Amino acid sequence: MKKRIPVDQAVGMVLPHDITEIVQGEFKGCAFRKGHILRLEDIEHLRRLGKEHIYVLELSEGEIHEDEAARLLATALAGQGVEHSGKVTEGKASLCAAYDGLLKIDKEALYRFNLLGEIMCSSLHTNTPVKKGEQVAATRLIPLVGERSLVEKGVNIARSTDSGEKIVQVLPLPKVKAGLVVTGSEVYYGRIEDKFEAVLREKMAELGSEVIRVGFAPDDASRIAAEIRLCLQAGADLIITSGGMSVDPDDVTRTGIREAGAVDRVYGTPVLPGAMFLVGRIGEVPVLGLPACGMFHKITVFDLILPRILTGESIGREQFAAMGHGGLCRNCKHCQYPVCNFGK
């Protein structure tokens, strides 16, 4: 229950909620915090904020304050690799990554959670790489006071997802040893300088992994297969091939991957750049066939898929098909990935 009190009669009363102030283009934050004891000099400030009244709360047994609700919801939503401090600001609780990793959102459960109406949770897109301490989601009760039963419904949805996991997770990226096979007669015979190795070493290092062996092979399927096997013998638990993935008759990398023993091969994606990308596996070792676009574009389908592969996810035709929506890179002059819509 809320009692409405004119501000000029509220001196000495305790605010039951934060009051936000917004100065366009300059500031958005808390002007008066919950628990503030109103003073005479606060009255004009409140009026400038459009406040002619404040509320005094008297909660019934079936009601819940926004701060308590936010804490309950945040606890229910936060899964593996996600933490929240318990601090509530202006009724909102933030969920942050506990470590570098890959954000996973149960989109269907989040949808059902938000259908309840007076509670909400917003998040970054699923499959977004995130850094330790980065905010990945936020939740709150929308009104100042709500029905406790509604919050309990939200908590139940968050705790009983179809996947058995919490709605918001951050999966760690294991450190792997990658073997790289650079294909193409033009590189093998020294006609042009290889550019793939440096690029791929940097991408692997950014994710905490390393390239342990680099092999070179001409446009010969059996020699490509032999280099892949040498990477496996060296202890690689991820194989990446570069080049030779187009329809040109000299591009035989796909054949070499098959001859090396790769199964569950899926070739072709609805992502640009990266339409001629391939995934497969040899035993438990993933094999990624990267087309030449990986040398010219800063971000390709490879960057979208690699973190998912590292977390142990199996990528097949169904997963590729789902990537068509949002799979067109804008090729911005100054790339800001993952702070963009590519792959989302």
Side-chain angles (χ1 to χ4, degrees):
M1 179 177 176
K2 294 181 286 189
K3 289 185 178 180
R4 197 163 175 254
I5 306 294
V7 293
D8 57 4
Q9 299 176 25
V11 173
M13 293 184 176
V14 179
L15 279 177
H17 60 90
D18 292 343
I19 294 179
T20 300
E21 182 171 12
I22 301 174
V23 179
Q24 186 175 6
E26 296 181 16
F27 174 79
K28 179 184 182 296
C30 188
F32 297 97
R33 293 201 177 278
K34 182 183 73 170
H36 177 73
I37 300 174
L38 290 173
R39 305 162 298 175
L40 183 62
E41 57 265 36
D42 296 331
I43 303 305
E44 284 306 314
H45 192 173
L46 287 165
R47 284 176 169 158
R48 289 198 304 273
L49 297 176
K51 306 296 182 184
E52 294 292 338
H53 299 82
I54 67 163
Y55 291 112
V56 175
L57 297 182
E58 295 178 356
L59 299 184
S60 69
E61 186 177 339
E63 293 179 314
I64 188 170
H65 186 270
E66 61 176 355
D67 286 3
E68 181 186 357
R71 292 188 186 95
L72 290 172
L73 295 171
T75 299
L77 289 161
Q80 175 186 355
V82 178
E83 57 189 11
H84 69 98
S85 65
K87 181 181 178 181
V88 176
T89 303
E90 298 177 347
K92 181 189 73 176
S94 295
L95 305 180
C96 298
Y99 42 70
D100 294 0
L102 184 68
L103 178 65
K104 286 288 186 178
I105 303 294
D106 187 324
K107 294 190 292 183
E108 176 57 32
L110 181 62
Y111 173 74
R112 289 188 281 111
F113 180 95
N114 284 321
L115 271 180
L116 294 175
E118 288 196 347
I119 61 172
M120 60 78 69
C121 174
S122 59
S123 75
L124 302 182
H125 283 92
T126 193
N127 293 321
T128 296
V130 294
K131 296 294 185 181
K132 179 180 179 179
E134 183 176 354
Q135 180 176 323
V136 297
T139 186
R140 67 170 298 152
L141 175 69
I142 295 173
L144 175 63
V145 175
E147 295 180 10
R148 187 172 291 273
S149 61
L150 181 74
V151 173
E152 290 172 351
K153 288 180 182 178
V155 167
N156 288 335
I157 289 174
R159 287 178 173 170
S160 57
T161 64
D162 292 340
S163 66
E165 305 290 347
K166 298 289 189 72
I167 289 178
V168 186
Q169 297 183 79
V170 173
L171 302 183
L173 299 179
K175 296 181 179 180
V176 303
K177 297 177 181 178
L180 170 60
V181 178
V182 180
T183 72
S185 295
E186 68 279 15
V187 173
Y188 184 79
Y189 293 112
R191 296 168 189 149
I192 66 170
E193 181 184 358
D194 171 56
K195 300 292 186 180
F196 268 113
E197 179 180 349
V199 170
L200 292 173
R201 281 190 182 276
E202 181 179 355
K203 288 181 183 291
M204 296 304 297
E206 286 176 355
L207 298 178
S209 294
E210 62 177 331
V211 176
I212 62 165
R213 186 182 189 280
V214 180
F216 294 85
D219 294 314
D220 181 309
S222 61
R223 295 181 70 174
I224 292 171
E227 288 296 332
I228 292 173
R229 294 188 190 102
L230 287 174
C231 288
L232 293 171
Q233 291 170 17
D237 37 31
L238 172 68
I239 301 294
I240 304 168
T241 68
S242 64
M245 301 299 293
S246 78
V247 295
D248 190 295
D250 289 331
D251 287 342
V252 294
T253 303
R254 282 186 291 156
T255 304
I257 291 171
R258 185 189 68 224
E259 288 187 9
V263 297
D264 295 337
R265 299 180 308 279
V266 180
Y267 173 66
T269 82
V271 178
L272 292 172
M276 295 177 181
F277 186 74
L278 177 147
V279 297
R281 63 179 177 84
I282 301 175
E284 298 300 317
V285 177
V287 180
L288 307 181
L290 179 60
C293 65
M295 186 167 52
F296 301 105
H297 295 273
K298 182 176 176 60
I299 300 295
T300 72
V301 67
F302 174 78
D303 301 273
L304 306 182
I305 290 296
L306 180 58
R308 297 172 66 175
I309 292 289
L310 294 180
T311 62
E313 183 176 350
S314 295
I315 303 295
R317 178 58 60 203
E318 183 177 345
Q319 288 73 27
F320 275 153
M323 296 174 70
H325 183 229
L328 179 63
C329 179
R330 291 182 172 182
N331 293 312
C332 301
K333 184 176 181 180
H334 300 291
C335 179
Q336 297 184 13
Y337 179 83
V339 189
C340 69
N341 62 353
F342 182 49
K344 308 297 193 301

